[in-house]
Every structure is written in C-alpha cells, then in structure tokens.
Amino acid sequence: MSFKSFLLKRLIIWDFIPYSLRWKKSVSGIGMIYVDTLEMMQKNYGKGGVSNLNEIMYNIGLGQSTEILKMLDLKRDLEGCAYVLLAMHRIFGIKSKIVQKDNDKIIIHARKCLWGGHLKKWNARTCLSIDNYEAGLIEGILPFSEHTYTRRRSCGDNVCELVIRFSDSD
C-alpha cells in the first residue's frame, strides 16, 4: 500500500473528506438520479408519469419556499425571491447572478451548472422538468408573479435567463 493510499484511507476513517468534494459528488449524483428518474417515468408511465414528477418537484419548491425565505431573513418581495433562487442555485452548483433589477422585474442569468453540459443525458426536457422546483419556490414567495425562461443553455444559448415579474396590485 502506498503512502498516499494509506493517508486517503485515514482521511476517510477520520471523516476528513473535503466538503467541496462531498458537495460536488452529491450534486452531480442528484442530477444523475433526476435524469434517470425522468427517463424511467417517461418509459414506464408516459406523459402522466412525467407530469407527476413535475408536480412533485413543484410541491417540494412550494413547501421549501417560506422556510428558505425565513432562514435567509429575506422579505417576501421580488428581491427576496431572487436571493432565495440564487441561494438554491449555489446549493445545486449553478453559477447565477442578478443582471437587471427594476421595480417590477428581476432578470437572473445562470451561466454554468453541474448538470447541463456535464451529464450525458441532460437535455432541455430535463431542465424543463426540474424547473418546476424553481416555479414552486417562486410561487410560494410571490404567488401572483410571472416567471419565464427567455433563454436556455440546454437549447444552445450562452446563459439561462430567468425573468421574474411582479407588480403590486394594492
């Protein structure tokens, strides 16, 4: 056994695996699980199975929205909603930022993620399905907002562009 092998085994035993390695492997694993689950739902249950998976993702986002908002001590407004999305993007390995902020609109660009372009089976259909999680987050924070992706990396664009519009009707 080499010294390197000995040292790495000790790091595992002592639970000193670097968090960055844990995070990257966990996030990429989540992406692989999602791709395979989506594929299986389509194959075994057809369009209805995919719709059920989309609804599950939406409900998870909806259920977590208020919790994340409170955890980050953000307001239930357009900016708070955007920062909840940015936080979740970071957790899932997506590099994104706010590129435009107005009174009634925020535009977020995502330029890189650990799934799209890195997993062989990841495609536009997969992005559309997993976007239901974001839809749940957004609607849980701003129920009367509109959100659309105007550009997508999985469709050949250089960034994913999410536009969230909110107009206070008071």
Side-chain angles (χ1 to χ4, degrees), residues 73-84:
D73 196 27
L74 296 169
K75 293 180 182 173
R76 191 175 292 277
D77 60 12
L78 193 57
E79 186 173 27
C81 182
Y83 276 97
V84 164

Side-chain angles (χ1 to χ4, degrees), residues 53-141:
L53 180 60
N54 292 346
E55 185 177 345
I56 289 168
M57 294 304 291
Y58 173 84
N59 287 330
I60 291 170
L62 189 65
Q64 291 182 341
S65 60
T66 300
E67 175 189 0
I68 297 166
L69 192 70
K70 286 180 182 177
M71 191 183 316
L72 298 174
D73 196 27
L74 296 169
K75 293 180 182 173
R76 191 175 292 277
D77 60 12
L78 193 57
E79 186 173 27
C81 182
Y83 276 97
V84 164
L85 282 169
L86 292 179
M88 296 314 294
H89 284 171
R90 298 300 184 280
I91 289 170
F92 291 116
I94 299 168
K95 294 187 186 260
S96 60
K97 65 180 180 179
I98 297 170
V99 295
Q100 183 181 340
K101 183 170 83 170
D102 299 327
N103 290 335
D104 65 342
K105 173 176 76 173
I106 281 188
I107 299 175
I108 296 172
H109 279 183
R111 59 180 166 71
K112 185 178 179 183
C113 75
L114 289 178
W115 299 329
H118 298 281
L119 298 177
K120 291 179 183 177
K121 295 180 186 178
W122 198 270
N123 56 38
R125 191 175 123 235
T126 316
C127 284
L128 285 171
S129 179
I130 207 160
D131 283 350
N132 286 283
Y133 173 76
E134 284 186 353
L137 281 175
I138 295 166
E139 290 178 25
I141 297 168

Side-chain angles (χ1 to χ4, degrees), residues 17 44 48 83 115 166:
I17 298 170
N44 293 343
Y83 276 97
W115 299 329
F166 180 72

Side-chain angles (χ1 to χ4, degrees), residues 1 34 96 105 112 150 155:
M1 173 178 3
Y34 196 82
S96 60
K105 173 176 76 173
K112 185 178 179 183
T150 56
C155 293

